[in-house]
Amino acid sequence: MTDRPHRDEIRTGASPTGPATGQRGPAADQDGALPLAGITVVSLEQAVAAPFATRQLADLGARVIKIERPGEGDFARRYDTTVHGESSYFVWLNRSKESLTLDLKTDAGRAVMERLLAGADVFVQNLAPGAAARLGLGPEALAERFPTLITAGLSGYGTTGPWAERKAYDLLVQCQTGLVSLTGNEHGTARAGISVADIAAGMYLHTGILTALFTRATTGVARAVEVSLFEALAEWMHQPAYYTRFGGTQPPRIGTRHATIAPYGAFTAADGHDVLFSIQNEREWAALCERFLGRPDLTADPRFATGAARVAHRAELDALVAARFADLDAAEAGRILDAAGIANAGVNDMAAFLDHPVLAARDRWREVPLPGGPTVPALLPPVDLAGTRPRMDPVPAVGEHTERILAELGYGARDIADLRAGHAV
């Protein structure tokens, strides 16, 4: 085996889309290089939160090497099989990455990881509590061996405190932060329809890594990043927490209605379709009374004259609004609300979202290849950066890039065969 490669040799290794250039292939043929071109991220990741963070780094041009278990890979690959046999979660979260299978319980596997980290800028992990430290991959140990490496760890409830060793999954965190108690209606609670705790944590991990990269570039100091699912979603719960602490009761569960604003919510039109609208201020309230309800007198009605009064008399107000919707089909109701300057929208199902005219007119869909050849449409990242196009590269098969990455690290054909024979990769 040769000596471990210099950091720049890992950064500029050949990409799946082009030869070694000093920046990832897709960035080279654009007007401007993607902002994270030349940055290498090694991620020991699984499930949703950490993969969401690293996929966004890949969108921005970073080379993301995803470490997976030999044979089975990230267990999120098996959450479902709806996308041409692939998991909808995995397809969403793992485009533009390279997959390296590695067994870190073997000495040879740990040696490969050491070589990888010697050439990396960022190391991400969301292993079970304490697992990274037991593998010698905790932030303190890595800082000693790789002082310029940014470490980014994601935990359930933080790495200190009484729940540091407790496992956490998205819905558990939705429950612990009180979100489930606010979601649903008078008949019962409900989970949010998407993995909001995972998504919140992934977003904060992503921005934390970007901040650490900026700090390293401007000060030379590589700072560790830590995010927990619980604290990420806790940040999003501030408003209802304040409402509860200082109001004495928590916001009620009222479906599509709003706890502190009325009228606000979905109403059923004469054709059976729902239309949601929101009144945000007194000007809009007056316009609704005059132009939609045909009752300008309601603006001076003491039951509805202020926002607080409208919330207190929500049932009476909603009955007036519902009666008006019962006389209109959804399209006509929307046109009248638009003319009155009141924000409104139909309540789409997923099929309607997929066909949304805004996504089509703004050309937001791109085709992304899956393992084995088929492609699927994927939405462009929501942040548009002038002069660049985000990477939208294939979703990797398990271990698809193992041999090429090992070759970049200096392993020869015989070395790689030995690693496979020893089940290290």
Side-chain angles (χ1 to χ4, degrees), residues 143-175:
E144 292 181 2
R145 305 201 301 276
F146 310 110
T148 63
L149 179 69
I150 293 166
T151 59
L154 193 142
S155 64
Y157 297 98
T159 55
T160 62
W163 283 27
E165 299 303 314
R166 195 178 183 114
K167 287 186 176 181
Y169 301 113
D170 178 85
L171 185 52
L172 301 177
V173 174
Q174 287 191 40
C175 291

Side-chain angles (χ1 to χ4, degrees), residues 31-84:
D31 293 337
L34 286 169
L36 296 186
I39 295 295
T40 296
V41 179
V42 174
S43 191
L44 190 55
E45 62 180 27
Q46 54 197 354
V48 176
F52 186 43
T54 58
R55 197 220 72 194
Q56 293 178 88
L57 298 173
D59 291 343
L60 293 170
R63 182 185 189 186
V64 176
I65 299 174
K66 180 183 181 78
I67 308 300
E68 300 196 67
R69 298 176 185 84
E72 60 189 77
D74 181 345
F75 57 72
R77 288 181 179 272
R78 299 179 301 285
Y79 279 169
D80 61 75
T81 57
T82 57
V83 186
H84 299 298

Side-chain angles (χ1 to χ4, degrees), residues 373-397:
T375 65
V376 293
L379 284 170
L380 289 168
V383 177
D384 292 329
L385 191 64
T388 69
R389 295 192 304 273
R391 284 177 55 203
M392 303 288 286
D393 284 359
V395 176

Side-chain angles (χ1 to χ4, degrees), residues 172-181 229-231 233-234 237:
L172 301 177
V173 174
Q174 287 191 40
C175 291
Q176 285 296 306
T177 57
L179 177 60
V180 167
S181 77
L229 269 69
F230 178 74
E231 288 160 356
L233 194 57
M237 298 299 294

Side-chain angles (χ1 to χ4, degrees), residues 346-417:
V347 181
N348 284 346
D349 59 14
M350 291 309 301
F353 162 70
L354 289 169
D355 291 332
H356 203 288
V358 171
L359 297 176
R362 285 178 49 77
D363 191 27
R364 300 305 294 181
W365 295 102
R366 296 292 182 273
E367 291 295 317
V368 170
L370 298 180
T375 65
V376 293
L379 284 170
L380 289 168
V383 177
D384 292 329
L385 191 64
T388 69
R389 295 192 304 273
R391 284 177 55 203
M392 303 288 286
D393 284 359
V395 176
V398 177
E400 178 179 346
H401 305 92
T402 297
E403 292 202 9
R404 182 174 55 74
I405 293 170
L406 291 174
E408 290 176 21
L409 293 172
Y411 289 90
R414 180 172 296 178
D415 302 323
I416 295 172

Side-chain angles (χ1 to χ4, degrees), residues 148 196 209 211 236 266-267 288 292 305:
T148 63
V196 289
I209 291 168
T211 303
W236 289 15
F267 293 84
L288 182 78
F292 184 79

